[in-house]
């Protein structure tokens, strides 16, 4: 797994394809689209790590966004065509700040027309670019943090932590509407994706060759640090290699108390290598049921 600091300009898919070519791998994918104008954390899975992509995609994301009051664009960001807005007045800042609590927690959000969401198998932004009507139905989202951290003239800065599928551009646009003058997103930086932060990310320009990629790879065993890790001995390794559940003889120490259905990592006690992803069942003898195996035994 590679943690990339995406630059402004290329699409997320462009970044993945560039890394795939440099690294010389056939399989690669990212774990959450960033708009072309946006920057920041883009988690890229290479080779066998693509099996982890769905789990990494489900992780919460964090952003820093700069919005501009008085401007509304068709894309919801600075790259779009201005379609509305009015000069902010003396009460715009107060109205915006008072609206923040409405957009914390769980609520329904209308996705922007220019988004990667598929409608009838076609990307929403493709329909919008062709001038076609884009059906935009509200979808449930969750925002755990939405804080106003800076204000400079008609520009304001937000710190956001949210569940996957939340559109920051829509948040900014809705706040602009609440302020009474409209707003659009001028800057957007993803500061974290799940456990991975901007401090860990490597600029795309620094990944000039396969060796540079290799040096910055996060091992499979460390790619899901929020999942409990269970160390296995020879018996456990043999069980996983044959696709069987792992019971007490396979663990090198007493398993921790975990709720039923907890996702866990099964790792080789001697090498630290990721053997499998499994689901925990403490009923009767504690067992770990692998659902994605990375090793095999002849």
């Amino acid at each position: 797994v590679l943690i990339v600091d995406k630059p402004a300009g290329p699409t997320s898919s462009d970044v993945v394809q560039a890394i795939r070519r440099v690294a010389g791998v056939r399989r690669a994918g990212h774990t959450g689209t960033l708009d072309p104008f946006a920057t920041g954390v883009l988690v890229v899975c290479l080779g066998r790590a693509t099996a982890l992509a769905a789990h990494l995609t489900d992780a919460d994301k964090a952003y820093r966004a700069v919005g501009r009051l008085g401007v509304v664009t068709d894309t919801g960001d600075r790259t779009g065509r201005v379609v509305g807005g009015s000069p902010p007045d003396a009460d715009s800042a107060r109205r915006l700040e008072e609206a923040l609590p409405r957009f914390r927690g769980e609520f329904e959000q209308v996705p922007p027309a220019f988004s990667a969401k598929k409608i009838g198998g076609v990307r929403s932004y493709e329909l919008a670019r062709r001038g076609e009507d884009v059906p935009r139905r509200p979808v449930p989202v969750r925002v755990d943090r939405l804080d106003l951290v800076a204000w400079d003239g008609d520009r304001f800065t937000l710190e956001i932590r949210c569940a996957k599928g939340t559109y920051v551009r829509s948040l900014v646009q809705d706040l602009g509407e609440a302020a009474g003058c409209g707003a659009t997103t001028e800057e957007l930086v993803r500061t974290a994706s799940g456990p991975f932060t901007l401090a860990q990310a490597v600029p795309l320009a620094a990944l000039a060759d396969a060796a540079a990629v290799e040096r910055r790879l996060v091992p499979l065993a460390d790619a899901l640090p929020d999942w409990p890790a269970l160390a296995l001995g020879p018996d456990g390794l043999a069980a996983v290699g044959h696709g069987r559940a792992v019971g007490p003889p396979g663990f090198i120490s007493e398993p921790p108390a975990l709720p039923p259905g907890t996702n866990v990592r099964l790792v080789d006690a001697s090498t630290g290598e990721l053997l499998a992803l499994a689901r925990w069942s403490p009923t009767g003898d504690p067992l770990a049921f692998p659902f994605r195996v990375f090793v095999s035994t002849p």
Side-chain angles (χ1 to χ4, degrees):
V1 175
L2 187 65
I3 317 305
V4 181
D5 183 358
K6 177 192 168 298
T11 67
S12 297
S13 294
D14 291 339
V15 172
V16 170
Q17 293 308 315
I19 293 170
R20 186 179 62 81
R21 289 192 296 269
V22 167
V25 297
R26 289 192 300 174
R27 290 185 296 161
H30 63 76
T31 66
T33 300
L34 271 175
D35 296 320
F37 85 101
T39 65
V41 178
L42 185 70
V43 179
V44 178
C45 297
L46 305 175
R48 292 191 302 162
T50 54
L52 308 181
H55 307 292
L56 292 168
T57 300
D58 285 340
D60 290 351
K61 311 292 192 294
Y63 299 91
R64 181 172 62 253
V66 176
R68 181 184 175 190
L69 287 177
V71 177
V72 177
T73 64
D74 56 358
T75 61
D77 61 61
R78 69 167 189 261
T79 69
R81 179 172 56 89
V82 175
V83 294
S86 59
D89 58 33
D91 291 324
S92 295
R94 175 186 57 79
R95 288 193 293 262
L96 186 149
E97 195 158 10
E98 288 177 349
L100 290 173
R102 288 165 35 197
F103 299 100
R104 298 186 184 117
E106 297 181 354
F107 57 94
E108 289 200 329
Q109 181 187 68
V110 177
F114 287 81
S115 74
K117 186 180 290 292
K118 285 189 174 181
I119 300 173
V122 181
R123 299 288 184 187
S124 179
Y125 63 76
E126 294 179 5
L127 297 175
R129 286 172 182 165
R130 296 201 297 256
E132 299 181 25
D133 288 334
V134 179
R136 296 190 292 154
R137 298 181 179 87
V139 295
V141 298
R142 192 190 81 241
V143 176
D144 297 321
R145 181 189 181 192
L146 177 61
D147 294 335
L148 179 65
V149 297
W151 196 287
D152 182 14
D154 59 357
R155 288 168 173 80
F156 57 94
T157 302
L158 303 169
E159 293 283 352
I160 301 156
R161 188 162 189 92
C162 56
K164 72 167 186 175
T166 305
Y167 286 95
V168 174
R169 286 176 292 142
S170 291
L171 275 178
V172 170
Q173 204 161 33
D174 290 342
L175 287 170
E177 185 175 331
C181 56
T184 198
T185 303
E186 283 211 329
E187 298 177 25
L188 181 60
V189 182
R190 183 185 284 160
T191 55
S193 180
F196 303 115
T197 67
L198 197 54
Q200 299 168 269
V202 58
L204 180 62
L207 301 171
D209 52 41
V213 171
E214 182 71 26
R215 285 193 298 269
R216 300 304 295 262
L217 289 177
V218 175
L220 287 180
D222 299 330
L224 294 166
D226 295 337
W227 292 27
L230 303 179
L232 306 186
D235 288 346
L237 178 58
V240 169
H242 287 101
R244 300 196 303 265
V246 181
F251 306 122
I252 65 166
S253 60
E254 185 70 20
L258 297 171
T262 298
N263 288 329
V264 298
R265 293 171 289 151
L266 303 182
V267 300
D268 188 325
S270 61
T271 66
E273 179 185 3
L274 181 65
L275 303 173
L277 304 179
R279 193 157 288 114
W280 182 250
S281 173
T283 305
D285 286 337
L287 292 173
F289 292 89
F291 58 82
R292 182 61 173 88
V293 177
F294 295 94
V295 296
S296 62
T297 300

